[in-house]
Amino acid sequence: MNNIYAALEIGTTRTVLAIGEAETGGRLKVTCHAEIPSTGVRKSQILDINQASQSIRAVLHEIQKKQEETGSKITVGNAFLLVSGQHIKTDPSFGSAQVEGFKVGAAEINEVIRSSRQQIVLPRDRELLDIIDQDYVLDNLGGISQPKGMSGRLLKLNTLHIHADRNRISDARTAADAAHLEIREPLFATTCAAEAVLEEHEKKNGVLVLDIGGGSTGYAVYCDGYVVSADVIGVGGDHVTNDIAHAFSTTNAQAEELKIREGSAILSDISGEGARIKVPGSNPLLETRTISRRALDTVVNARLKELFTIIRETLERDDLFHRLHSGVVITGAGSRLNNIDQLIRHELGTDVRLGRPIHVDGFENEANAESFAAIAGALLYAHRNYEEKSFLDGIFGRFFK
């Protein structure tokens, strides 16, 4: 009997639902996934619960159709929720414990972990998404990954806790409830994406993960094997689309098509016929016109340079930029923009690669697998942290119903 899990992402541009099942040997495989355009969402936040609920119903219907085509009887009734947006914040904390007998044992480690959790006090309007254990400090010696057996007097554990606006998560729960889908647990999209795409050596050597969504861009910096910094910047692919629509007087749909089909993150030097791009009229009465390819690229480049400048300045301020020995890994739908890797390489001066899921099977044949990194990571989290007993259709009625 296999473990079965589901994850939901209500994004600015799309709503995604995926099902993962544990295979023999412990690997997780995504056996079914579907996506539809989001409605009622802007800048990673729900603005119309009814429209967002309709999007969830639609993606549930797509999943059901795919399940029926394969003869599966699983119906999703419960899912982990991916959370993104600028309302997400991170704060450092630590716990401490006196070392009995001056040698660290299991009791001291358990006590310092318990203490680190007790130190986290959030305002009523915030909801905890994750607690990340970083390094131990024994007396004045830091950077310890495993203190058991070491000698000292005072043991500390540094942690990073990630939290979000409780009301924004409540809105997502309300929209999902109206679609008869229960939200099991909210998860930070960027760290989920990172867990799905990063190699262990990258985490140890220092790496920056950029999860570029429609309404915002999340980032996480790993050094020495753990997250040392994470945040969300309120700039995403939708901002590029809006800039194009404004600059060239197009509809948002036309601007989105231009961005994906013709736009480039670096300035084009194409001459001749290819130097101009056709823009169809928004209705049959309007004639097709052309715009300069270089002008389009200038708009795309300007917004993305702004994003990467913010990231660079933030990491330099926090003294982390020089630690990115494994470079940058990009995920999310925004990572598909033409030549975005070249722009990052130029602006940040590091190696760049696309973050396709490597710790989860099922996306091998997906052309844009990097856009599913976060949802793959959410399923991986469920697989690693929850038991089989509450997830199977028609048996316990908790995760699936």
Side-chain angles (χ1 to χ4, degrees):
M1 188 180 293
N2 291 334
N3 295 359
I4 305 174
Y5 316 94
L8 172 71
E9 180 178 12
I10 310 171
T12 301
T13 58
R14 61 178 191 159
T15 298
V16 185
L17 186 65
I19 297 173
E21 299 185 35
E23 299 181 294
T24 303
R27 287 278 295 186
L28 183 73
K29 181 175 183 179
V30 177
T31 55
C32 186
H33 69 280
E35 62 174 314
I36 58 104
S38 288
T39 54
V41 183
R42 185 183 178 193
K43 295 184 179 179
S44 305
Q45 298 186 47
I46 294 174
L47 299 183
D48 188 316
I49 288 178
N50 288 334
Q51 288 186 15
S53 184
Q54 290 172 11
S55 295
I56 298 170
R57 288 192 187 95
V59 79
L60 280 166
H61 180 65
E62 288 297 312
I63 285 285
Q64 184 176 348
K65 284 200 313 184
K66 290 186 176 184
Q67 292 290 300
E68 289 173 352
E69 290 170 0
T70 60
S72 174
K73 296 182 180 180
I74 294 174
T75 301
V76 181
N78 191 310
F80 288 81
L81 175 70
L82 284 162
V83 182
S84 58
Q86 207 172 1
H87 62 96
I88 295 172
K89 304 296 179 185
T90 60
D91 290 305
S93 184
F94 72 91
S96 61
Q98 294 292 329
V99 180
E100 297 293 333
F102 307 116
K103 184 159 289 192
V104 178
E108 285 78 14
I109 293 174
N110 290 336
E111 173 61 22
V112 79
I113 292 173
R114 184 187 66 81
S115 172
S116 69
R117 274 48 176 173
Q118 289 179 335
Q119 300 304 314
I120 299 173
V121 179
L122 294 175
R124 290 185 178 181
D125 63 344
R126 306 298 294 176
E127 182 165 344
L128 189 66
L129 296 180
D130 200 2
I131 302 172
I132 297 168
D133 293 335
Q134 298 178 312
D135 67 323
Y136 291 90
V137 179
L138 188 56
D139 295 337
N140 294 320
L141 178 63
I144 301 170
S145 59
Q146 177 49 263
K148 189 173 183 180
M150 297 182 67
S151 299
R153 294 175 178 272
L154 181 65
L155 181 66
K156 293 182 180 180
L157 172 61
N158 291 318
T159 65
L160 190 71
H161 57 278
I162 303 173
H163 51 96
D165 188 323
R166 184 180 297 275
N167 292 326
R168 303 291 70 78
I169 296 175
S170 178
D171 290 342
R173 291 183 187 276
T174 300
D177 285 345
H180 306 292
L181 179 68
E182 181 185 353
I183 297 303
R184 180 166 179 81
E185 184 179 343
L187 304 172
F188 181 33
T190 301
T191 50
C192 284
E195 289 304 307
V197 305
L198 291 183
E199 300 278 11
E200 285 304 314
H201 71 86
E202 292 176 314
K203 293 181 182 179
K204 291 180 180 178
N205 294 336
V207 65
L208 168 65
V209 175
L210 294 179
D211 185 35
I212 308 170
S216 60
T217 296
Y219 74 81
V221 179
Y222 285 75
C223 295
D224 300 323
Y226 54 82
V227 180
V228 296
S229 178
D231 205 347
V232 179
I233 298 167
V235 178
D238 257 21
H239 295 80
V240 178
T241 301
N242 293 338
D243 290 348
I244 294 171
H246 179 74
F248 301 106
S249 301
T250 69
T251 65
N252 271 25
Q254 288 175 317
E256 180 70 14
E257 183 180 353
L258 280 171
K259 179 184 74 175
I260 294 174
R261 177 171 51 88
E262 302 288 357
S264 171
I266 59 174
L267 301 185
S268 170
D269 57 2
I270 298 175
S271 59
E273 292 185 4
R276 298 195 67 80
I277 304 165
K278 290 183 178 180
V279 182
S282 57
N283 66 64
L285 298 178
L286 296 177
E287 294 183 0
T288 297
R289 59 191 174 94
T290 65
I291 61 172
S292 162
R293 183 181 296 277
R294 190 172 180 84
L296 173 63
D297 294 346
T298 299
V299 172
V300 176
N301 174 269
R303 179 63 80 169
L304 292 177
K305 280 187 70 172
E306 174 196 16
L307 170 62
F308 301 137
T309 297
I310 293 171
I311 291 169
R312 177 167 189 146
E313 290 176 349
T314 301
L315 298 187
E316 287 179 338
R317 180 198 66 200
D318 296 339
D319 199 28
L320 293 173
F321 190 75
H322 70 284
R323 301 180 67 183
L324 304 180
H325 303 300
S326 290
V328 178
V329 177
I330 53 175
T331 68
S335 64
R336 294 179 289 174
L337 282 170
N338 296 326
N339 300 315
I340 192 171
D341 55 336
Q342 293 185 44
L343 180 62
I344 294 173
R345 195 172 291 113
H346 180 268
E347 294 298 313
L348 302 185
T350 63
D351 292 333
V352 184
R353 73 171 178 86
L354 280 177
R356 297 174 66 88
I358 57 176
H359 302 299
V360 176
D361 299 326
F363 287 118
E364 296 82 4
N365 298 322
E366 186 71 43
N368 301 308
E370 58 277 0
S371 69
F372 295 100
I375 207 152
L379 294 172
L380 186 63
Y381 168 87
H383 176 51
R384 288 175 175 173
N385 292 277
Y386 288 83
E387 297 294 331
E388 172 183 356
K389 59 186 178 182
S390 62
F391 298 106
L392 293 181
D393 176 32
I395 298 178
F396 296 95
R398 183 176 175 85
F399 195 86
F400 285 87
K401 66 178 183 180

